[in-house]
Each structure stands twice: as C-alpha cells, then as structure tokens.
Amino acid sequence: QKEVEQDPGPLSVPEGAIVSLNCTYSNSAFQYFMWYRQYSRKGPELLMYTYSSGNKEDGRFTAQVDKSSKYISLFIRDSQPSDSATYLCAIFRVEYGNKLVFGAGTILRVKS
Amino acid sequence: EAGVAQSPRYKIIEKRQSVAFWCNPISGHATLYWYQQILGQGPKLLIQFQNNGVVDDSQLPKDRFSAERLKGVDSTLKIQPAKLEDSAVYLCASSPLDRSYEQYFGPGTRLTVT
C-alpha cells in the first residue's frame, strides 16, 4: 500500500465549476499537509499547507484535512482555465526522519 | 526573493554516459533536497542536505548517483553511468532550517537517456 494515494485523473471541468481534489494517507505520523500545483514542464509550486484537522482558506482555494479518516482535500472555487495543471498532495512525515511524501498527482483541465 | 535555480533545463545523453546537474537554493535556506520525478508520478526524495552535511540519502542509488553541497550553498547531482530508467525530471528544492515541511522547488532538469 502506498503511503499517499491520489487519483491521477484527468479531471475535466467547465470554467466556473467547483473542483474537489482528494488524497488519502496511511500513516498517522503525518503532521503537515501540503498542496502543490505543477504546470507542464515546470517545478511544483507550493499552494498552501495546513497542520490541523479542519479547513484553511486562501482566495479561491480551500484545503481540508480530516485526520480521523486520513483524508485531505483541496477545493477550487470559480475554476479558471489557468488552473489547468497537475495538483500534487504531499504529506510531511515526522516519524523515521522528516520527509515529504507525495501523491502521484491529479491532472486537472478547466475548459473555457 | 529569487527562487531555486537549476541548470541545465534539458539534457539528452546516451546510456552509460555521465551527467551532472546544478542547483542554487533560495538564499538563507539551510536545507536542500534532490528529488526524482518520473512521468506520471510524484517527486521521490533522493538526498537531503542540511548545510553541507547529508541528512538522508537512503533512496539514492549510490552505485551510480552522487551528490555534494559545497560550502553549504550550491549543490551538484551526478549520474555515472546513466541507465535508460534514469530518464526523469530532477528537481531541487530548499527549505528554511526550522520549517522542513515548507519546501520550494526549482524548475527541474529534464533528463532523457537514449
């Protein structure tokens, strides 16, 4: 079983839709929960991160963590064609050394 | 604030040849990472430096990969000899010493081994 599971998509939505991207993880030692955006042929860009269960909002983006279910989500409101990218969840593991473990990424396409 | 710089951006070599990648982290970031990202996968950590010391190289194939971080700033990653399965994007990232979870990535070097 992979430590972090993420549906690879692709996920295709019309402009203006609400997008939901999700990951599950297996290790309760994970403490920080990150979302990265990666455009084609670019490096991952840190969008936002959170530490505790609950919601964190930043503009059109909301990160949600449910530690009891080991489930994290990223919601994008009013999606734009410029949001088309691969979204990577990454979880920071403290046990057995500080390490960032990535999901495989979900490809998102927002159609205008 | 300047981001993480990497060069070259692209490299094509034949198998059994050697190649080197260079990284300059964000100024003031003590921790530097090299990741390998194979197409369709998330980045996988190869090696982590704190200042000029190695913290974790457990996933580095040491028979062919080597890395160094001179004077705790720039870093180079070398592959010798390259194999077909080394074709990937090699990403460098850096983070502040007290926030290792907050990692910032460079644009990557796309390596193709033929």
Side-chain angles (χ1 to χ4, degrees):
Chain A
Q1 183 189 10
K2 291 182 181 178
E3 289 187 278
V4 181
E5 297 273 4
Q6 186 174 11
D7 187 334
L11 180 62
S12 185
V13 301
E15 183 176 354
I18 296 174
V19 176
S20 172
L21 303 164
N22 310 295
C23 287
T24 58
Y25 62 96
S26 58
N27 191 331
S28 58
F30 289 146
Q31 290 195 342
Y32 288 85
F33 306 89
M34 345 290 288
W35 284 97
Y36 283 84
R37 178 174 62 194
Q38 187 172 26
Y39 290 114
S40 181
R41 299 185 181 276
K42 303 285 187 184
E45 171 195 5
L46 181 59
L47 279 176
M48 57 195 305
Y49 66 86
T50 185
Y51 175 76
S52 56
S53 283
N55 294 350
K56 181 178 181 180
E57 192 172 313
D58 184 0
R60 296 186 296 111
F61 298 88
T62 299
Q64 186 176 82
V65 175
D66 182 347
K67 286 189 175 182
S68 62
S69 302
K70 298 189 179 67
Y71 193 86
I72 68 170
S73 300
L74 179 71
F75 298 96
I76 307 175
R77 290 184 300 280
D78 188 25
S79 56
Q80 303 295 309
S82 58
D83 295 326
S84 297
T86 297
Y87 289 80
L88 296 154
C89 65
I91 308 179
F92 189 73
R93 188 184 75 194
V94 176
E95 197 175 85
Y96 305 120
N98 297 342
K99 187 173 179 179
L100 199 56
V101 181
F102 283 85
T106 299
I107 298 170
L108 173 66
R109 296 177 184 146
V110 181
K111 300 172 292 184
S112 57
Chain B
E1 179 183 76
V4 176
Q6 289 188 248
S7 68
R9 292 295 314 280
Y10 305 92
K11 192 74 177 178
I12 301 174
I13 61 172
E14 295 180 353
K15 60 183 178 183
R16 292 187 288 275
Q17 286 187 325
S18 62
V19 64
F21 313 125
W22 173 84
C23 173
N24 181 247
I26 292 173
S27 178
H29 281 190
T31 312
L32 184 148
Y33 314 80
W34 284 102
Y35 286 85
Q36 180 192 58
Q37 186 176 24
I38 293 172
L39 187 65
Q41 299 182 19
K44 183 186 84 170
L45 180 68
L46 292 174
I47 188 167
Q48 176 183 344
F49 292 93
Q50 187 167 300
N51 295 311
N52 59 354
V54 175
V55 174
D56 182 357
D57 64 356
S58 58
Q59 298 299 304
L60 188 72
K62 298 180 187 63
D63 57 334
R64 299 184 300 105
F65 286 64
S66 64
E68 60 182 5
R69 189 181 185 193
L70 301 174
K71 301 179 182 178
V73 182
D74 292 7
S75 177
T76 56
L77 175 70
K78 297 179 181 177
I79 307 175
Q80 181 180 15
K83 292 185 175 181
L84 295 177
E85 59 261 34
D86 297 332
S87 294
V89 176
Y90 291 85
L91 295 161
C92 179
S94 68
S95 69
L97 182 63
D98 57 344
R99 299 195 304 277
S100 336
Y101 50 85
E102 197 176 303
Q103 297 182 21
Y104 296 91
F105 284 80
T109 297
R110 182 175 299 271
L111 174 67
T112 302
V113 182
T114 63

